[in-house]
Amino acid sequence: MRIIAVNAGSSSLKFQLLEMPSELVISSGVVERIGLDNSIFNIKYGDKEYRQTLDIKTHKIAVNMLLDKLVELNIVTSLEEIQGIGHRVVHGGEKFTDSVIINEEVIEAIESVIELAPLHNPANLTGIMAFKEALPNIPAVAVFDTAFHQTMDPVAYMYSVPYEWYTKYGVRKYGFHGTSHKYVSQRAAMMLGKKIEDTKLIICHIGNGASLCAVDGGISIDTSMGFTPLAGIPMGTRSGDIDPAIVQFISEKENKTLDEVINELNKKSGYLGLSGFSSDSRDLWEAVKRGDEKSILAVEKQAKIIADYIGAYYLTLGKCDAICFTAGIGENASETRALVADKITALGTVLDPIRNRIHGEETVISKRKSIIKLLLIPTNEEVMIARDTVRLIN
Ligand code: ADP
């Protein structure tokens, strides 16, 4: 059975075509700069790659082009081979605790939480509608970033603010990256040789966006992102947690609107804000090696907050079998893993500096004597989307 896993952003469309249940990736690709000039269309299949630069005005055109190319390049013999489409949807509000088959009611429900994810949900919906038009008879499934965290207890998800903010407007912690946290916790249980029900894990998803999750028996009990993905640990361009009074203070001092200040917290903060020159971890680590003080501050600050969250989640879990590193930085930046490991030794963790040089593959990076194992686990959100799609359409 062949399944397409889709991740539609505001100007991009990423996809993977997977053979299920073997989970073999037959093809993957991305259309970038949709709606702008010189859009880039790229498909990889086997050891081949097809790339074209042209103007792609809408997601609908991108989807049609993608489906045409799948046939033209003989990746599939006919579109009938595709039996399901899984869509990543960022926000499911409190309505979705699991993935669902997409129907009119689900589309309306996704629309109803646009307010909570104004940048992401409309883009995700555009992808859903474009595939629905192109392949109207193929079942489609929505897989939500927030669903995995719906198991949190009110003590974890409520903010200490007037209660009506929650009842009237849904102000609470939702958490994101759920698909990744779930995948990594399942892989961690396999690596530990334990049933997932018997594991207590801390997952550090550190990419451009970053969040930590405390997972007890396969269930999310707390996570660092909040009402929006701005909360938690410092990221590529996002501040993570700050004193909210700063927003008003800067708005007055710099004569900026609240929107402008929040935009700076989302787009000009984190690595970029402190280093003053880049949001990319590779650039920062190069600068750190040259002794650039602001870059040192940026990576140290992030590592400190990650360690603080690990400490908090250790207490929440009561015990911990493994701390897992995933996503762009977690999988590749051994320097960041080493910095974090150095700050959590009080928990009895012992990093193996040689094993920590490994990147991008599943492996244990702690020494045997480490009380809590440190694991490196590359995430795979597409495979989770494909698995849920198969489970629901069956
Ligand atoms: P997102 O999906 O949130 O956009 P990613 O998970 O792709 O982000 O992570 C992007 C980050 O991963 C960037 O900061 C990038 O520098 C970092 N990264 C990727 N590869 C490496 C590497 N080999 N060494 C250090 N950092 C890396």
Side-chain angles (χ1 to χ4, degrees), residues 14 177 205-210 271 279-283 285 327-329 332-335 359 381:
K14 287 190 204 135
H177 294 140
H205 176 114
I206 318 168
N208 203 7
Y271 280 171
S279 63
D280 192 291
S281 136
R282 285 164 287 204
D283 294 344
W285 280 106
I329 296 169
N332 296 297
S334 38
E335 301 93 333
H359 56 93
E381 289 161 286

mmCIF file with all atom_site columns, all heavy atoms in Angstrom, residues 14 177 205-210 271 279-283 285 327-329 332-335 359 381, ligand 1:
data_model
loop_
_atom_site.group_PDB
_atom_site.id
_atom_site.type_symbol
_atom_site.label_atom_id
_atom_site.label_alt_id
_atom_site.label_comp_id
_atom_site.label_asym_id
_atom_site.label_entity_id
_atom_site.label_seq_id
_atom_site.pdbx_PDB_ins_code
_atom_site.Cartn_x
_atom_site.Cartn_y
_atom_site.Cartn_z
_atom_site.occupancy
_atom_site.B_iso_or_equiv
_atom_site.pdbx_formal_charge
_atom_site.auth_seq_id
_atom_site.auth_comp_id
_atom_site.auth_asym_id
_atom_site.auth_atom_id
_atom_site.pdbx_PDB_model_num
ATOM   1   N N   . LYS A 1 14  ? 6.026  19.878 1.418  1.00 0.00 ? 14  LYS A N   1
ATOM   2   C CA  . LYS A 1 14  ? 6.984  18.772 1.510  1.00 0.00 ? 14  LYS A CA  1
ATOM   3   C C   . LYS A 1 14  ? 6.198  17.477 1.444  1.00 0.00 ? 14  LYS A C   1
ATOM   4   O O   . LYS A 1 14  ? 5.074  17.419 1.974  1.00 0.00 ? 14  LYS A O   1
ATOM   5   C CB  . LYS A 1 14  ? 7.721  18.811 2.845  1.00 0.00 ? 14  LYS A CB  1
ATOM   6   C CG  . LYS A 1 14  ? 8.730  19.914 2.940  1.00 0.00 ? 14  LYS A CG  1
ATOM   7   C CD  . LYS A 1 14  ? 9.588  19.719 4.191  1.00 0.00 ? 14  LYS A CD  1
ATOM   8   C CE  . LYS A 1 14  ? 10.162 21.045 4.623  1.00 0.00 ? 14  LYS A CE  1
ATOM   9   N NZ  . LYS A 1 14  ? 10.086 21.323 6.026  1.00 0.00 ? 14  LYS A NZ  1
ATOM   10  N N   . HIS A 1 177 ? 5.109  19.569 18.183 1.00 0.00 ? 177 HIS A N   1
ATOM   11  C CA  . HIS A 1 177 ? 6.079  18.503 17.869 1.00 0.00 ? 177 HIS A CA  1
ATOM   12  C C   . HIS A 1 177 ? 5.615  17.137 18.378 1.00 0.00 ? 177 HIS A C   1
ATOM   13  O O   . HIS A 1 177 ? 6.435  16.236 18.563 1.00 0.00 ? 177 HIS A O   1
ATOM   14  C CB  . HIS A 1 177 ? 7.469  18.777 18.498 1.00 0.00 ? 177 HIS A CB  1
ATOM   15  C CG  . HIS A 1 177 ? 8.183  19.965 17.939 1.00 0.00 ? 177 HIS A CG  1
ATOM   16  N ND1 . HIS A 1 177 ? 8.896  20.827 18.745 1.00 0.00 ? 177 HIS A ND1 1
ATOM   17  C CD2 . HIS A 1 177 ? 8.322  20.432 16.692 1.00 0.00 ? 177 HIS A CD2 1
ATOM   18  C CE1 . HIS A 1 177 ? 9.431  21.773 18.006 1.00 0.00 ? 177 HIS A CE1 1
ATOM   19  N NE2 . HIS A 1 177 ? 9.085  21.561 16.736 1.00 0.00 ? 177 HIS A NE2 1
ATOM   20  N N   . HIS A 1 205 ? 13.551 17.561 21.500 1.00 0.00 ? 205 HIS A N   1
ATOM   21  C CA  . HIS A 1 205 ? 13.458 17.806 20.048 1.00 0.00 ? 205 HIS A CA  1
ATOM   22  C C   . HIS A 1 205 ? 14.064 19.188 19.822 1.00 0.00 ? 205 HIS A C   1
ATOM   23  O O   . HIS A 1 205 ? 13.441 20.209 20.116 1.00 0.00 ? 205 HIS A O   1
ATOM   24  C CB  . HIS A 1 205 ? 11.983 17.760 19.616 1.00 0.00 ? 205 HIS A CB  1
ATOM   25  C CG  . HIS A 1 205 ? 11.769 18.098 18.171 1.00 0.00 ? 205 HIS A CG  1
ATOM   26  N ND1 . HIS A 1 205 ? 11.295 17.187 17.243 1.00 0.00 ? 205 HIS A ND1 1
ATOM   27  C CD2 . HIS A 1 205 ? 11.957 19.246 17.476 1.00 0.00 ? 205 HIS A CD2 1
ATOM   28  C CE1 . HIS A 1 205 ? 11.212 17.761 16.054 1.00 0.00 ? 205 HIS A CE1 1
ATOM   29  N NE2 . HIS A 1 205 ? 11.603 19.020 16.176 1.00 0.00 ? 205 HIS A NE2 1
ATOM   30  N N   . ILE A 1 206 ? 15.311 19.195 19.351 1.00 0.00 ? 206 ILE A N   1
ATOM   31  C CA  . ILE A 1 206 ? 15.999 20.483 19.193 1.00 0.00 ? 206 ILE A CA  1
ATOM   32  C C   . ILE A 1 206 ? 16.339 20.687 17.725 1.00 0.00 ? 206 ILE A C   1
ATOM   33  O O   . ILE A 1 206 ? 17.308 20.124 17.203 1.00 0.00 ? 206 ILE A O   1
ATOM   34  C CB  . ILE A 1 206 ? 17.292 20.548 20.043 1.00 0.00 ? 206 ILE A CB  1
ATOM   35  C CG1 . ILE A 1 206 ? 17.062 19.944 21.433 1.00 0.00 ? 206 ILE A CG1 1
ATOM   36  C CG2 . ILE A 1 206 ? 17.765 21.995 20.181 1.00 0.00 ? 206 ILE A CG2 1
ATOM   37  C CD1 . ILE A 1 206 ? 18.330 19.724 22.208 1.00 0.00 ? 206 ILE A CD1 1
ATOM   38  N N   . GLY A 1 207 ? 15.485 21.430 17.065 1.00 0.00 ? 207 GLY A N   1
ATOM   39  C CA  . GLY A 1 207 ? 15.733 21.823 15.667 1.00 0.00 ? 207 GLY A CA  1
ATOM   40  C C   . GLY A 1 207 ? 15.715 23.330 15.654 1.00 0.00 ? 207 GLY A C   1
ATOM   41  O O   . GLY A 1 207 ? 16.056 23.968 16.645 1.00 0.00 ? 207 GLY A O   1
ATOM   42  N N   . ASN A 1 208 ? 15.300 23.883 14.533 1.00 0.00 ? 208 ASN A N   1
ATOM   43  C CA  . ASN A 1 208 ? 15.127 25.310 14.471 1.00 0.00 ? 208 ASN A CA  1
ATOM   44  C C   . ASN A 1 208 ? 14.044 25.704 15.481 1.00 0.00 ? 208 ASN A C   1
ATOM   45  O O   . ASN A 1 208 ? 14.217 26.608 16.284 1.00 0.00 ? 208 ASN A O   1
ATOM   46  C CB  . ASN A 1 208 ? 14.710 25.642 13.051 1.00 0.00 ? 208 ASN A CB  1
ATOM   47  C CG  . ASN A 1 208 ? 15.021 27.033 12.709 1.00 0.00 ? 208 ASN A CG  1
ATOM   48  O OD1 . ASN A 1 208 ? 15.671 27.744 13.478 1.00 0.00 ? 208 ASN A OD1 1
ATOM   49  N ND2 . ASN A 1 208 ? 14.547 27.449 11.563 1.00 0.00 ? 208 ASN A ND2 1
ATOM   50  N N   . GLY A 1 209 ? 12.935 24.974 15.437 1.00 0.00 ? 209 GLY A N   1
ATOM   51  C CA  . GLY A 1 209 ? 11.953 25.017 16.529 1.00 0.00 ? 209 GLY A CA  1
ATOM   52  C C   . GLY A 1 209 ? 12.363 23.934 17.515 1.00 0.00 ? 209 GLY A C   1
ATOM   53  O O   . GLY A 1 209 ? 12.931 22.927 17.100 1.00 0.00 ? 209 GLY A O   1
ATOM   54  N N   . ALA A 1 210 ? 12.103 24.130 18.796 1.00 0.00 ? 210 ALA A N   1
ATOM   55  C CA  . ALA A 1 210 ? 12.590 23.131 19.752 1.00 0.00 ? 210 ALA A CA  1
ATOM   56  C C   . ALA A 1 210 ? 11.632 22.986 20.923 1.00 0.00 ? 210 ALA A C   1
ATOM   57  O O   . ALA A 1 210 ? 11.069 23.975 21.391 1.00 0.00 ? 210 ALA A O   1
ATOM   58  C CB  . ALA A 1 210 ? 13.969 23.543 20.260 1.00 0.00 ? 210 ALA A CB  1
ATOM   59  N N   . TYR A 1 271 ? 18.831 32.057 19.033 1.00 0.00 ? 271 TYR A N   1
ATOM   60  C CA  . TYR A 1 271 ? 20.212 32.098 18.505 1.00 0.00 ? 271 TYR A CA  1
ATOM   61  C C   . TYR A 1 271 ? 20.473 33.405 17.765 1.00 0.00 ? 271 TYR A C   1
ATOM   62  O O   . TYR A 1 271 ? 21.504 34.048 17.953 1.00 0.00 ? 271 TYR A O   1
ATOM   63  C CB  . TYR A 1 271 ? 20.419 30.975 17.491 1.00 0.00 ? 271 TYR A CB  1
ATOM   64  C CG  . TYR A 1 271 ? 20.684 29.590 18.025 1.00 0.00 ? 271 TYR A CG  1
ATOM   65  C CD1 . TYR A 1 271 ? 20.686 28.501 17.142 1.00 0.00 ? 271 TYR A CD1 1
ATOM   66  C CD2 . TYR A 1 271 ? 20.976 29.340 19.359 1.00 0.00 ? 271 TYR A CD2 1
ATOM   67  C CE1 . TYR A 1 271 ? 20.942 27.213 17.566 1.00 0.00 ? 271 TYR A CE1 1
ATOM   68  C CE2 . TYR A 1 271 ? 21.233 28.049 19.801 1.00 0.00 ? 271 TYR A CE2 1
ATOM   69  C CZ  . TYR A 1 271 ? 21.222 26.990 18.901 1.00 0.00 ? 271 TYR A CZ  1
ATOM   70  O OH  . TYR A 1 271 ? 21.470 25.719 19.325 1.00 0.00 ? 271 TYR A OH  1
ATOM   71  N N   . SER A 1 279 ? 20.704 32.269 12.828 1.00 0.00 ? 279 SER A N   1
ATOM   72  C CA  . SER A 1 279 ? 19.797 31.391 13.577 1.00 0.00 ? 279 SER A CA  1
ATOM   73  C C   . SER A 1 279 ? 20.223 29.940 13.407 1.00 0.00 ? 279 SER A C   1
ATOM   74  O O   . SER A 1 279 ? 19.586 29.040 13.924 1.00 0.00 ? 279 SER A O   1
ATOM   75  C CB  . SER A 1 279 ? 18.378 31.557 13.037 1.00 0.00 ? 279 SER A CB  1
ATOM   76  O OG  . SER A 1 279 ? 18.340 31.141 11.689 1.00 0.00 ? 279 SER A OG  1
ATOM   77  N N   . ASP A 1 280 ? 21.313 29.732 12.657 1.00 0.00 ? 280 ASP A N   1
ATOM   78  C CA  . ASP A 1 280 ? 21.704 28.369 12.299 1.00 0.00 ? 280 ASP A CA  1
ATOM   79  C C   . ASP A 1 280 ? 22.796 27.857 13.239 1.00 0.00 ? 280 ASP A C   1
ATOM   80  O O   . ASP A 1 280 ? 23.843 28.490 13.403 1.00 0.00 ? 280 ASP A O   1
ATOM   81  C CB  . ASP A 1 280 ? 22.205 28.372 10.851 1.00 0.00 ? 280 ASP A CB  1
ATOM   82  C CG  . ASP A 1 280 ? 22.354 26.966 10.313 1.00 0.00 ? 280 ASP A CG  1
ATOM   83  O OD1 . ASP A 1 280 ? 23.259 26.233 10.788 1.00 0.00 ? 280 ASP A OD1 1
ATOM   84  O OD2 . ASP A 1 280 ? 21.575 26.592 9.435  1.00 0.00 ? 280 ASP A OD2 1
ATOM   85  N N   . SER A 1 281 ? 22.536 26.693 13.799 1.00 0.00 ? 281 SER A N   1
ATOM   86  C CA  . SER A 1 281 ? 23.452 26.148 14.794 1.00 0.00 ? 281 SER A CA  1
ATOM   87  C C   . SER A 1 281 ? 24.867 25.944 14.241 1.00 0.00 ? 281 SER A C   1
ATOM   88  O O   . SER A 1 281 ? 25.855 26.151 14.939 1.00 0.00 ? 281 SER A O   1
ATOM   89  C CB  . SER A 1 281 ? 22.836 24.859 15.339 1.00 0.00 ? 281 SER A CB  1
ATOM   90  O OG  . SER A 1 281 ? 23.730 23.834 15.448 1.00 0.00 ? 281 SER A OG  1
ATOM   91  N N   . ARG A 1 282 ? 24.955 25.569 12.955 1.00 0.00 ? 282 ARG A N   1
ATOM   92  C CA  . ARG A 1 282 ? 26.301 25.349 12.380 1.00 0.00 ? 282 ARG A CA  1
ATOM   93  C C   . ARG A 1 282 ? 27.112 26.641 12.378 1.00 0.00 ? 282 ARG A C   1
ATOM   94  O O   . ARG A 1 282 ? 28.289 26.654 12.732 1.00 0.00 ? 282 ARG A O   1
ATOM   95  C CB  . ARG A 1 282 ? 26.193 24.793 10.957 1.00 0.00 ? 282 ARG A CB  1
ATOM   96  C CG  . ARG A 1 282 ? 25.805 23.345 10.936 1.00 0.00 ? 282 ARG A CG  1
ATOM   97  C CD  . ARG A 1 282 ? 25.327 22.913 9.589  1.00 0.00 ? 282 ARG A CD  1
ATOM   98  N NE  . ARG A 1 282 ? 23.996 23.475 9.326  1.00 0.00 ? 282 ARG A NE  1
ATOM   99  C CZ  . ARG A 1 282 ? 23.125 22.949 8.487  1.00 0.00 ? 282 ARG A CZ  1
ATOM   100 N NH1 . ARG A 1 282 ? 23.436 21.885 7.791  1.00 0.00 ? 282 ARG A NH1 1
ATOM   101 N NH2 . ARG A 1 282 ? 21.942 23.498 8.298  1.00 0.00 ? 282 ARG A NH2 1
ATOM   102 N N   . ASP A 1 283 ? 26.445 27.757 11.998 1.00 0.00 ? 283 ASP A N   1
ATOM   103 C CA  . ASP A 1 283 ? 27.128 29.061 11.984 1.00 0.00 ? 283 ASP A CA  1
ATOM   104 C C   . ASP A 1 283 ? 27.582 29.425 13.395 1.00 0.00 ? 283 ASP A C   1
ATOM   105 O O   . ASP A 1 283 ? 28.690 29.916 13.610 1.00 0.00 ? 283 ASP A O   1
ATOM   106 C CB  . ASP A 1 283 ? 26.186 30.170 11.506 1.00 0.00 ? 283 ASP A CB  1
ATOM   107 C CG  . ASP A 1 283 ? 25.788 29.984 10.054 1.00 0.00 ? 283 ASP A CG  1
ATOM   108 O OD1 . ASP A 1 283 ? 26.468 29.207 9.353  1.00 0.00 ? 283 ASP A OD1 1
ATOM   109 O OD2 . ASP A 1 283 ? 24.785 30.597 9.636  1.00 0.00 ? 283 ASP A OD2 1
ATOM   110 N N   . TRP A 1 285 ? 28.220 27.459 15.984 1.00 0.00 ? 285 TRP A N   1
ATOM   111 C CA  . TRP A 1 285 ? 29.319 26.657 16.503 1.00 0.00 ? 285 TRP A CA  1
ATOM   112 C C   . TRP A 1 285 ? 30.655 27.020 15.859 1.00 0.00 ? 285 TRP A C   1
ATOM   113 O O   . TRP A 1 285 ? 31.698 26.969 16.504 1.00 0.00 ? 285 TRP A O   1
ATOM   114 C CB  . TRP A 1 285 ? 29.018 25.159 16.414 1.00 0.00 ? 285 TRP A CB  1
ATOM   115 C CG  . TRP A 1 285 ? 28.131 24.778 17.561 1.00 0.00 ? 285 TRP A CG  1
ATOM   116 C CD1 . TRP A 1 285 ? 26.800 24.484 17.516 1.00 0.00 ? 285 TRP A CD1 1
ATOM   117 C CD2 . TRP A 1 285 ? 28.504 24.744 18.951 1.00 0.00 ? 285 TRP A CD2 1
ATOM   118 N NE1 . TRP A 1 285 ? 26.311 24.262 18.778 1.00 0.00 ? 285 TRP A NE1 1
ATOM   119 C CE2 . TRP A 1 285 ? 27.336 24.409 19.675 1.00 0.00 ? 285 TRP A CE2 1
ATOM   120 C CE3 . TRP A 1 285 ? 29.684 24.967 19.649 1.00 0.00 ? 285 TRP A CE3 1
ATOM   121 C CZ2 . TRP A 1 285 ? 27.338 24.286 21.066 1.00 0.00 ? 285 TRP A CZ2 1
ATOM   122 C CZ3 . TRP A 1 285 ? 29.682 24.841 21.030 1.00 0.00 ? 285 TRP A CZ3 1
ATOM   123 C CH2 . TRP A 1 285 ? 28.530 24.503 21.716 1.00 0.00 ? 285 TRP A CH2 1
ATOM   124 N N   . ALA A 1 327 ? 15.965 15.757 16.156 1.00 0.00 ? 327 ALA A N   1
ATOM   125 C CA  . ALA A 1 327 ? 15.801 16.915 15.256 1.00 0.00 ? 327 ALA A CA  1
ATOM   126 C C   . ALA A 1 327 ? 17.177 17.487 14.866 1.00 0.00 ? 327 ALA A C   1
ATOM   127 O O   . ALA A 1 327 ? 18.199 17.057 15.414 1.00 0.00 ? 327 ALA A O   1
ATOM   128 C CB  . ALA A 1 327 ? 14.902 17.984 15.853 1.00 0.00 ? 327 ALA A CB  1
ATOM   129 N N   . GLY A 1 328 ? 17.158 18.455 13.952 1.00 0.00 ? 328 GLY A N   1
ATOM   130 C CA  . GLY A 1 328 ? 18.391 18.958 13.324 1.00 0.00 ? 328 GLY A CA  1
ATOM   131 C C   . GLY A 1 328 ? 19.579 19.105 14.259 1.00 0.00 ? 328 GLY A C   1
ATOM   132 O O   . GLY A 1 328 ? 20.654 18.563 14.006 1.00 0.00 ? 328 GLY A O   1
ATOM   133 N N   . ILE A 1 329 ? 19.383 19.802 15.361 1.00 0.00 ? 329 ILE A N   1
ATOM   134 C CA  . ILE A 1 329 ? 20.492 20.044 16.292 1.00 0.00 ? 329 ILE A CA  1
ATOM   135 C C   . ILE A 1 329 ? 20.708 18.831 17.197 1.00 0.00 ? 329 ILE A C   1
ATOM   136 O O   . ILE A 1 329 ? 21.836 18.358 17.371 1.00 0.00 ? 329 ILE A O   1
ATOM   137 C CB  . ILE A 1 329 ? 20.205 21.329 17.116 1.00 0.00 ? 329 ILE A CB  1
ATOM   138 C CG1 . ILE A 1 329 ? 20.175 22.540 16.167 1.00 0.00 ? 329 ILE A CG1 1
ATOM   139 C CG2 . ILE A 1 329 ? 21.228 21.522 18.222 1.00 0.00 ? 329 ILE A CG2 1
ATOM   140 C CD1 . ILE A 1 329 ? 19.640 23.816 16.779 1.00 0.00 ? 329 ILE A CD1 1
ATOM   141 N N   . ASN A 1 332 ? 22.463 16.177 15.216 1.00 0.00 ? 332 ASN A N   1
ATOM   142 C CA  . ASN A 1 332 ? 23.743 16.458 14.547 1.00 0.00 ? 332 ASN A CA  1
ATOM   143 C C   . ASN A 1 332 ? 24.765 17.253 15.346 1.00 0.00 ? 332 ASN A C   1
ATOM   144 O O   . ASN A 1 332 ? 25.962 17.083 15.132 1.00 0.00 ? 332 ASN A O   1
ATOM   145 C CB  . ASN A 1 332 ? 23.473 17.234 13.250 1.00 0.00 ? 332 ASN A CB  1
ATOM   146 C CG  . ASN A 1 332 ? 22.687 16.410 12.265 1.00 0.00 ? 332 ASN A CG  1
ATOM   147 O OD1 . ASN A 1 332 ? 23.167 15.376 11.808 1.00 0.00 ? 332 ASN A OD1 1
ATOM   148 N ND2 . ASN A 1 332 ? 21.486 16.843 11.945 1.00 0.00 ? 332 ASN A ND2 1
ATOM   149 N N   . ALA A 1 333 ? 24.282 18.140 16.221 1.00 0.00 ? 333 ALA A N   1
ATOM   150 C CA  . ALA A 1 333 ? 25.240 19.029 16.877 1.00 0.00 ? 333 ALA A CA  1
ATOM   151 C C   . ALA A 1 333 ? 25.753 18.375 18.164 1.00 0.00 ? 333 ALA A C   1
ATOM   152 O O   . ALA A 1 333 ? 25.187 18.572 19.256 1.00 0.00 ? 333 ALA A O   1
ATOM   153 C CB  . ALA A 1 333 ? 24.586 20.383 17.170 1.00 0.00 ? 333 ALA A CB  1
ATOM   154 N N   . SER A 1 334 ? 26.821 17.604 18.040 1.00 0.00 ? 334 SER A N   1
ATOM   155 C CA  . SER A 1 334 ? 27.354 16.918 19.226 1.00 0.00 ? 334 SER A CA  1
ATOM   156 C C   . SER A 1 334 ? 27.798 17.939 20.275 1.00 0.00 ? 334 SER A C   1
ATOM   157 O O   . SER A 1 334 ? 27.757 17.668 21.476 1.00 0.00 ? 334 SER A O   1
ATOM   158 C CB  . SER A 1 334 ? 28.495 15.979 18.854 1.00 0.00 ? 334 SER A CB  1
ATOM   159 O OG  . SER A 1 334 ? 29.273 16.546 17.861 1.00 0.00 ? 334 SER A OG  1
ATOM   160 N N   . GLU A 1 335 ? 28.162 19.147 19.812 1.00 0.00 ? 335 GLU A N   1
ATOM   161 C CA  . GLU A 1 335 ? 28.593 20.188 20.756 1.00 0.00 ? 335 GLU A CA  1
ATOM   162 C C   . GLU A 1 335 ? 27.453 20.574 21.692 1.00 0.00 ? 335 GLU A C   1
ATOM   163 O O   . GLU A 1 335 ? 27.666 20.766 22.901 1.00 0.00 ? 335 GLU A O   1
ATOM   164 C CB  . GLU A 1 335 ? 29.051 21.448 20.004 1.00 0.00 ? 335 GLU A CB  1
ATOM   165 C CG  . GLU A 1 335 ? 30.200 21.245 19.033 1.00 0.00 ? 335 GLU A CG  1
ATOM   166 C CD  . GLU A 1 335 ? 29.724 20.967 17.604 1.00 0.00 ? 335 GLU A CD  1
ATOM   167 O OE1 . GLU A 1 335 ? 28.607 20.430 17.437 1.00 0.00 ? 335 GLU A OE1 1
ATOM   168 O OE2 . GLU A 1 335 ? 30.462 21.271 16.659 1.00 0.00 ? 335 GLU A OE2 1
ATOM   169 N N   . HIS A 1 359 ? 26.589 11.198 14.489 1.00 0.00 ? 359 HIS A N   1
ATOM   170 C CA  . HIS A 1 359 ? 25.388 11.995 14.259 1.00 0.00 ? 359 HIS A CA  1
ATOM   171 C C   . HIS A 1 359 ? 24.491 11.345 13.222 1.00 0.00 ? 359 HIS A C   1
ATOM   172 O O   . HIS A 1 359 ? 24.929 10.593 12.368 1.00 0.00 ? 359 HIS A O   1
ATOM   173 C CB  . HIS A 1 359 ? 25.711 13.449 13.917 1.00 0.00 ? 359 HIS A CB  1
ATOM   174 C CG  . HIS A 1 359 ? 26.599 13.624 12.751 1.00 0.00 ? 359 HIS A CG  1
ATOM   175 N ND1 . HIS A 1 359 ? 26.107 13.813 11.495 1.00 0.00 ? 359 HIS A ND1 1
ATOM   176 C CD2 . HIS A 1 359 ? 27.940 13.624 12.662 1.00 0.00 ? 359 HIS A CD2 1
ATOM   177 C CE1 . HIS A 1 359 ? 27.134 13.938 10.673 1.00 0.00 ? 359 HIS A CE1 1
ATOM   178 N NE2 . HIS A 1 359 ? 28.239 13.824 11.342 1.00 0.00 ? 359 HIS A NE2 1
ATOM   179 N N   . GLU A 1 381 ? 8.838  12.086 11.355 1.00 0.00 ? 381 GLU A N   1
ATOM   180 C CA  . GLU A 1 381 ? 7.424  12.458 11.448 1.00 0.00 ? 381 GLU A CA  1
ATOM   181 C C   . GLU A 1 381 ? 6.626  11.866 10.293 1.00 0.00 ? 381 GLU A C   1
ATOM   182 O O   . GLU A 1 381 ? 5.466  11.497 10.447 1.00 0.00 ? 381 GLU A O   1
ATOM   183 C CB  . GLU A 1 381 ? 7.298  13.985 11.495 1.00 0.00 ? 381 GLU A CB  1
ATOM   184 C CG  . GLU A 1 381 ? 7.793  14.526 12.838 1.00 0.00 ? 381 GLU A CG  1
ATOM   185 C CD  . GLU A 1 381 ? 8.141  15.994 12.831 1.00 0.00 ? 381 GLU A CD  1
ATOM   186 O OE1 . GLU A 1 381 ? 9.185  16.369 12.274 1.00 0.00 ? 381 GLU A OE1 1
ATOM   187 O OE2 . GLU A 1 381 ? 7.371  16.774 13.397 1.00 0.00 ? 381 GLU A OE2 1
HETATM 188 P P1  . ADP B 2 .   ? 13.044 22.685 11.753 1.00 0.00 ? 1   ADP B P1  1
HETATM 189 O O1  . ADP B 2 .   ? 12.475 21.379 11.254 1.00 0.00 ? 1   ADP B O1  1
HETATM 190 O O2  . ADP B 2 .   ? 12.497 23.126 13.071 1.00 0.00 ? 1   ADP B O2  1
HETATM 191 O O3  . ADP B 2 .   ? 13.079 23.780 10.731 1.00 0.00 ? 1   ADP B O3  1
HETATM 192 P P2  . ADP B 2 .   ? 15.542 21.170 11.866 1.00 0.00 ? 1   ADP B P2  1
HETATM 193 O O4  . ADP B 2 .   ? 15.126 20.041 12.728 1.00 0.00 ? 1   ADP B O4  1
HETATM 194 O O5  . ADP B 2 .   ? 15.739 20.919 10.421 1.00 0.00 ? 1   ADP B O5  1
HETATM 195 O O6  . ADP B 2 .   ? 14.594 22.429 12.071 1.00 0.00 ? 1   ADP B O6  1
HETATM 196 O O7  . ADP B 2 .   ? 16.904 21.757 12.492 1.00 0.00 ? 1   ADP B O7  1
HETATM 197 C C1  . ADP B 2 .   ? 17.570 22.819 11.916 1.00 0.00 ? 1   ADP B C1  1
HETATM 198 C C2  . ADP B 2 .   ? 18.812 23.084 12.749 1.00 0.00 ? 1   ADP B C2  1
HETATM 199 O O8  . ADP B 2 .   ? 19.630 21.908 12.754 1.00 0.00 ? 1   ADP B O8  1
HETATM 200 C C3  . ADP B 2 .   ? 19.677 24.218 12.222 1.00 0.00 ? 1   ADP B C3  1
HETATM 201 O O9  . ADP B 2 .   ? 20.065 25.066 13.283 1.00 0.00 ? 1   ADP B O9  1
HETATM 202 C C4  . ADP B 2 .   ? 20.885 23.496 11.680 1.00 0.00 ? 1   ADP B C4  1
HETATM 203 O O10 . ADP B 2 .   ? 22.041 24.270 11.779 1.00 0.00 ? 1   ADP B O10 1
HETATM 204 C C5  . ADP B 2 .   ? 20.964 22.307 12.590 1.00 0.00 ? 1   ADP B C5  1
HETATM 205 N N1  . ADP B 2 .   ? 21.818 21.272 11.983 1.00 0.00 ? 1   ADP B N1  1
HETATM 206 C C6  . ADP B 2 .   ? 21.549 20.513 10.916 1.00 0.00 ? 1   ADP B C6  1
HETATM 207 N N2  . ADP B 2 .   ? 22.623 19.741 10.611 1.00 0.00 ? 1   ADP B N2  1
HETATM 208 C C7  . ADP B 2 .   ? 23.592 20.051 11.514 1.00 0.00 ? 1   ADP B C7  1
HETATM 209 C C8  . ADP B 2 .   ? 24.928 19.627 11.748 1.00 0.00 ? 1   ADP B C8  1
HETATM 210 N N3  . ADP B 2 .   ? 25.489 18.712 10.968 1.00 0.00 ? 1   ADP B N3  1
HETATM 211 N N4  . ADP B 2 .   ? 25.607 20.170 12.791 1.00 0.00 ? 1   ADP B N4  1
HETATM 212 C C9  . ADP B 2 .   ? 25.043 21.107 13.567 1.00 0.00 ? 1   ADP B C9  1
HETATM 213 N N5  . ADP B 2 .   ? 23.774 21.550 13.393 1.00 0.00 ? 1   ADP B N5  1
HETATM 214 C C10 . ADP B 2 .   ? 23.069 21.035 12.390 1.00 0.00 ? 1   ADP B C10 1
#
